[in-house]
Amino acid sequence: MWHLDPFVNCPVYETESFTLRKLMIEDSDELFACYSDPVAAQFFNGDNCGDDFYYTDFEKFKKCINYWIHSYTIHDFVRWSIVHKQTNKCVGTVELCPSHKYSKAQETIGILRIDVLSSLETTDAMEELFAIFINHFYRDFQLDFLLTKAVPQAAVRLAVLNKHSFIDAAPMCTIPFAHYFIK
């Protein structure tokens, strides 16, 4: 069976509205709008990162981008820029970290982070993005489970997770943080 190595050849994914492609330093200017958006920041997941990813200082944000790019080169995680096809602008990022860290029985769990402009915290946008995750990530990254966070105020995300049969993660894995869902 063929297996994709995302650290050798990073996959590109497309929906009707979005292209997900490997993060580049050149994306910093456009992505700063997302990461300096205080409404969007409510939904960012900084668990286990030592950062909340809300930035008002562009130079500090660029250091974060460089860290994410470096993390890809050392095979830690993949971070894609979400490019909105209508505007051809980066409107957020998606991170996937295949790991056994929170597994109860050596399953491969894809830890998923989704950061988008607050204007894209909509059912349509989340449905399109989750279609990529569900239709491609399990196979392309040989995942047993997909794990993501949705805080109580993330009503749209919670509704999309529920629609796609994500359940409370606590009984299924050892993640020590609240508000995680797994499928």
Side-chain angles (χ1 to χ4, degrees), residues 61-80:
F61 175 65
K62 264 182 93 170
K63 287 179 183 176
C64 179
I65 295 279
N66 278 316
Y67 173 77
W68 290 340
I69 291 168
H70 173 72
S71 294
Y72 177 82
T73 65
I74 63 169
H75 300 194
D76 192 12
F77 56 79
V78 179
R79 191 164 286 249
W80 292 268

Side-chain angles (χ1 to χ4, degrees), residues 35-103:
Y35 288 94
S36 63
D37 177 344
V39 177
Q42 297 175 57
F43 306 114
F44 297 166
N45 177 0
D47 291 347
N48 222 25
C49 297
D51 194 337
D52 63 6
F53 303 112
Y54 174 66
Y55 291 95
T56 56
D57 181 311
F58 180 71
E59 290 308 313
K60 286 183 181 176
F61 175 65
K62 264 182 93 170
K63 287 179 183 176
C64 179
I65 295 279
N66 278 316
Y67 173 77
W68 290 340
I69 291 168
H70 173 72
S71 294
Y72 177 82
T73 65
I74 63 169
H75 300 194
D76 192 12
F77 56 79
V78 179
R79 191 164 286 249
W80 292 268
S81 289
I82 303 169
V83 180
H84 196 285
K85 288 181 175 180
Q86 186 176 22
T87 63
N88 201 33
K89 298 225 183 265
C90 296
V91 294
T93 68
V94 171
E95 176 185 302
L96 183 69
C97 178
S99 176
H100 299 285
K101 183 174 185 173
Y102 301 119
S103 171

Side-chain angles (χ1 to χ4, degrees), residues 163-180:
K163 178 180 175 184
H164 292 285
S165 303
F166 280 76
I167 60 171
D168 177 30
M172 302 282 297
C173 68
T174 62
I175 190 130
F177 306 104
H179 312 300
Y180 277 83

